[in-house]
Amino acid sequence: MKLFEKTSQIENGQISVSKKHIDGVFYEHSHDFFEIEYICKGNGKHILNGEEYQFKEGNVYFLTPEDIHAFYPETDVTIYNVMFTEDFLSPKAVLPAIETCHGVQLSITPAKQDKIQLLFQQLCDEYAEKKEGQTEYMQCLLRCIFILLLRNVGKSPTFLKPSPIAASLVFIQSNFKENITLSQTAAQVNLSTGYFCELFKRYVGTGFSSYLTDLRLSYAAKALITTDEPITQIAYLSGFSAFSTFSRLFKQKYKISPSDYRKNKK
């Protein structure tokens, strides 16, 4: 089983859009990019972060690099699939959906399905035609899709925190499996390390290191119960450079060792 999929799947490096028919199983995996899946037709089972969902027409999933999922069609299934990197869309456009919509099954009511399917089809058409202004037009369409998803769950599409914080959170979400640092992240959003550290804690409510560690541990916990990957491999692939550090922090957070966590949850 291949647990991780890389951005090499995205043809132009930033976004890939398709309408595809699925008749085979996609086993547990995660990405280093963002993904939206909209079910046009068919039904089956979707395992998402260890939770089992029965999917049908009108269901939609927004997946981040933090999510681990598997897809088991029970009939012929047709989906719209959008894969994009952190660089394609404004962080302030993506973050409300990350905070509200990722890692769960969303359901679009029949009355609203035509509207959102039209947006997905326009996105597909624009991706295939490659006309002038394509990137800007596709960004607008993707923003519209996110707004509809957020309206569907009764949440505002507006992210009120400062732009550098928005950009840093999307950068961390996209790269937490890598060896990213505080100074690197501060440089990414064009702030000094000290000022970024102060701003991050003020608006996020926790320090950079704590936030990053919690994200890595959360991902590792999902991988422990949804895959059969060796625990040492999960530790390294979750962004930890030393297994002893991972084991100590995991036990500190979950009050149990990684091996016992796996035994108890499976």
Side-chain angles (χ1 to χ4, degrees):
M1 177 189 65
K2 187 177 181 181
L3 181 55
F4 301 100
E5 295 184 354
K6 296 293 185 180
T7 48
S8 56
Q9 286 189 290
I10 301 178
E11 288 179 10
N12 68 1
Q14 287 197 328
I15 187 168
S16 176
V17 185
S18 62
K19 184 177 184 179
K20 59 176 90 171
H21 302 284
I22 298 175
D23 55 11
V25 173
F26 286 83
Y27 293 102
E28 280 81 1
H29 64 281
S30 64
H31 319 108
D32 65 350
F33 48 83
F34 298 97
E35 182 176 32
I36 305 174
E37 294 177 342
Y38 177 82
I39 311 298
C40 303
K41 184 183 76 170
N43 56 70
K45 183 170 66 175
H46 194 187
I47 309 295
L48 180 53
N49 297 325
E51 297 290 328
E52 181 177 318
Y53 299 95
Q54 288 297 131
F55 69 78
K56 61 182 180 180
E57 181 180 348
N59 286 143
V60 60
Y61 305 93
F62 173 49
L63 305 166
T64 74
E66 185 186 350
D67 298 308
I68 299 172
H69 70 129
F71 207 70
Y72 298 86
E74 294 169 358
T75 63
D76 287 338
V77 173
T78 303
I79 70 168
Y80 284 108
N81 179 264
V82 183
M83 301 182 289
F84 64 97
T85 68
E86 61 179 294
D87 301 318
F88 184 72
L89 207 58
S90 158
K92 283 200 169 188
V94 179
L95 266 172
I98 291 176
E99 294 185 335
T100 305
C101 300
H102 95 86
V104 295
Q105 177 171 278
L106 304 174
S107 298
I108 306 299
T109 61
K112 297 177 180 176
Q113 286 175 17
D114 285 348
K115 181 184 287 187
I116 199 164
Q117 283 200 46
L118 178 60
L119 288 171
F120 277 112
Q121 188 56 55
Q122 288 178 308
L123 201 56
C124 268
D125 293 343
E126 187 65 23
Y127 179 75
E129 290 172 2
K130 304 189 186 306
K131 292 181 178 178
E132 189 173 345
Q134 179 195 51
T135 297
E136 291 79 5
Y137 190 32
M138 292 179 72
Q139 287 169 338
C140 289
L141 290 169
L142 196 49
R143 284 195 192 99
C144 289
I145 288 170
F146 276 128
I147 289 169
L148 288 184
L149 293 182
L150 288 160
R151 283 181 181 174
N152 192 64
V153 296
K155 297 294 183 180
S156 169
T158 303
F159 186 80
L160 299 176
K161 297 181 178 72
S163 294
I165 297 303
S168 69
L169 290 173
V170 173
F171 176 76
I172 295 167
Q173 181 73 232
S174 301
N175 296 282
F176 71 89
K177 297 167 194 169
E178 308 297 330
N179 185 29
I180 59 173
T181 64
L182 171 61
S183 57
Q184 178 188 1
T185 308
Q188 185 75 19
V189 297
N190 299 312
L191 293 178
S192 70
T193 301
Y195 183 57
F196 170 71
C197 200
E198 176 191 332
L199 206 63
F200 191 92
K201 191 162 188 177
R202 186 194 312 167
Y203 285 99
V204 179
T206 188
F208 171 84
S209 295
S210 296
Y211 183 88
L212 178 59
T213 297
D214 194 61
L215 187 58
R216 287 169 170 169
L217 289 173
S218 175
Y219 179 81
K222 294 168 189 173
L224 285 169
I225 63 174
T226 58
T227 78
D228 296 319
E229 291 280 341
I231 296 175
T232 51
Q233 183 75 351
I234 286 173
Y236 295 128
L237 292 175
S238 299
F240 293 94
S241 57
F243 180 75
S244 58
T245 303
F246 163 72
S247 186
R248 175 176 56 81
L249 292 171
F250 191 95
K251 194 167 185 178
Q252 185 177 304
K253 177 178 172 66
Y254 293 102
K255 313 303 180 187
I256 194 171
S257 70
S259 57
D260 287 339
Y261 185 90
R262 171 175 268 176
K263 287 175 190 172
N264 292 349
K265 294 289 186 178
K266 278 203 168 188

